[in-house]
Amino acid sequence: MTDRPSALYNCVPNAGDRGTVAERDVVVIGGGQSGLAAGFYLTRAGADFEILDAAHAPGGAWPHTWPSLRLFSPAEYSSLPGKRMPATDGAGSGGENPDADHVVEYLRAYEERYDLPVRREVRVARVEHADGGGFLIHTDDGRTWRSRVVISVTGTWSRPFVPAVPGAAGFRGEQVHSAHYRGPDRFAGRRVVVVGGANSGAQIAADLAGHCDLTWCTLGPPRYLPQDVDGRELFRVASAAVRGQGGGGVAELGDIVVVPPVRAARDAGLLRATPMFTRFSGDGVEWDGVEWDDGEAVRVDAVIWCTGFRPALGHLSGLGLPRRRGRIVTDGPRVPDVPGLYLLGYGDWCGAASATLIGVGQWARGAVGDALGD
């Protein structure tokens, strides 16, 4: 690892430096797993860079997940470049699949091992083109950074998506997105609808099964992956599709990885999918053409939306970036029409499997190599 010269920090703003401009060759916006992967390759190249992160502690989105969440793969297949994730305790080869706390500790140790320059509780408000080239990065504390390269890795967790359903505003029950789900205890004994036919919907429905009166709503029949398919196979298939070596990618396999809690709930008959409801009523939900024992509506205490996220890219809105089907146009992580701008880790549209621990490394390496001309 190349030592970073102390002179690179001479113009870093401190608490009394509002309005000053700090110079870096590269600014990484976001300090989660993708930001750390970019930081690894930037450090290895001896680059002049800084990572700006809005969170107060390491871990990216992982500290905000529900307690029962586990990765799809063992630790050895869930690692960032350069440092293997240690196995979890109390199991044979590879241990159990890690939970979120294990991932958070791994990311903290990773950041520490490579002495990555992460500056926390710094939220980027907007990025602008700078006169003469490069970018100006304005933060919410009044400070500004200038850089030749911006690698945006803000992820999606801060932008949960909830579809528009008629009557939602008048629903008197509770609505919670999976981003804010913290376990089954608060829903015990209540009537709960879980919406979503992918992994988070299946995992949260399995987590709630047996604790509440559960209805699991999906747009179609659940598409479970073969039982022997986990994150390792998903990454292999996604990578092969990118290389043009087979098939249509992960989507052909199914939507739901059959992790042990999902398998147990499914095999016990506790995961029975129901078509998506049509509208809310004041105290419940309704389906067109369906009448239940007590009428057209079913009383519901809470709806949990497992309906995904949208990329958190509002800080780039001032750049006027071209879009296609609502997404910024990219070539892998590179934004072709804006030299020096890279998007990393938002999903397959900016790099297959780039939103996963094991998958982001190859795209981080490519983005850094392209940015630095290596």
Side-chain angles (χ1 to χ4, degrees):
M1 183 176 72
T2 304
D3 291 334
R4 196 178 299 108
S6 60
L8 299 181
Y9 289 84
N10 288 344
C11 58
V12 172
N14 58 40
D17 284 336
R18 287 177 176 272
T20 61
V21 176
E23 300 276 351
R24 288 290 180 274
D25 189 43
V26 181
V27 168
V28 179
I29 304 175
Q33 63 195 39
S34 298
L36 300 188
F40 170 83
Y41 287 108
L42 288 164
T43 296
R44 197 167 74 168
D48 169 13
F49 75 102
E50 197 86 9
I51 300 174
L52 306 181
D53 189 38
H56 72 279
W62 291 100
H64 309 292
T65 62
W66 58 94
S68 66
L69 177 69
R70 288 189 176 271
L71 299 184
F72 298 151
S73 304
E76 62 197 276
Y77 292 96
S78 304
S79 301
L80 294 177
K83 176 178 169 60
R84 177 170 289 190
M85 182 184 291
T88 53
D89 295 332
S93 177
E96 294 183 349
N97 290 5
D99 61 12
D101 287 344
H102 191 81
V103 177
V104 170
E105 175 55 27
Y106 167 70
L107 295 178
R108 183 204 61 75
Y110 187 95
E111 182 180 317
E112 182 178 283
R113 172 173 179 173
Y114 295 109
D115 191 25
L116 299 179
V118 182
R119 185 170 293 271
R120 287 219 152 75
E121 297 189 78
V122 177
R123 185 177 299 278
V124 172
R126 69 187 186 281
V127 178
E128 298 175 342
H129 293 290
D131 292 340
F135 305 92
L136 292 175
I137 300 101
H138 302 280
T139 62
D140 62 358
D141 60 3
R143 299 173 181 131
T144 299
W145 301 73
R146 179 168 183 156
S147 68
R148 181 182 63 86
V149 173
V150 165
I151 303 177
S152 182
V153 291
T154 47
T156 62
W157 194 264
S158 63
R159 286 197 64 204
F161 171 72
V162 174
V165 177
F171 177 57
R172 290 184 286 272
E174 182 179 6
Q175 296 188 62
V176 179
H177 193 273
S178 62
H180 306 115
Y181 175 75
R182 293 296 178 269
D185 291 351
R186 67 185 279 190
F187 301 102
R190 302 169 71 188
R191 292 189 175 186
V192 180
V193 172
V194 173
V195 178
N199 287 300
S200 61
Q203 288 193 31
I204 288 177
D207 200 39
L208 288 165
H211 295 274
C212 66
D213 183 348
L214 173 67
T215 300
W216 180 29
C217 288
T218 63
L219 291 177
R223 297 177 64 233
Y224 294 103
L225 276 75
Q227 200 151 298
D228 59 347
V229 172
D230 63 8
R232 291 167 288 190
E233 178 66 5
L234 295 178
F235 177 66
R236 186 197 67 76
V237 170
S239 299
V242 168
R243 296 191 299 266
Q245 295 176 345
V250 171
E252 287 190 351
L253 298 176
D255 298 320
I256 301 170
V257 179
V258 187
V259 294
V262 169
R263 181 170 62 248
R266 182 194 63 182
D267 293 351
L270 300 176
L271 288 185
R272 295 185 294 272
T274 299
M276 179 59 189
F277 57 86
T278 309
R279 67 186 67 84
F280 282 94
S281 62
D283 293 313
V285 296
E286 302 175 6
W287 286 260
D288 278 344
V290 177
E291 184 163 335
W292 303 84
D293 291 343
D294 52 357
E296 294 181 351
V298 172
R299 187 177 67 80
V300 172
D301 298 308
V303 173
I304 302 175
W305 296 100
C306 302
T307 44
F309 301 82
R310 296 294 182 263
L313 291 169
H315 56 290
L316 302 180
S317 59
L319 296 177
L321 301 176
R323 293 177 178 265
R324 182 183 303 123
R325 294 190 293 275
R327 290 175 173 167
I328 296 172
V329 176
T330 63
D331 178 10
R334 183 171 62 91
V335 180
D337 293 336
V338 185
L341 180 62
Y342 299 84
L343 308 184
L344 182 61
Y346 293 97
D348 288 353
W349 57 280
C350 59
S354 65
T356 67
L357 284 157
I358 192 174
V360 70
Q362 63 179 327
W363 300 104
R365 181 177 65 249
V368 169
D370 189 76
L372 302 182
D374 296 342

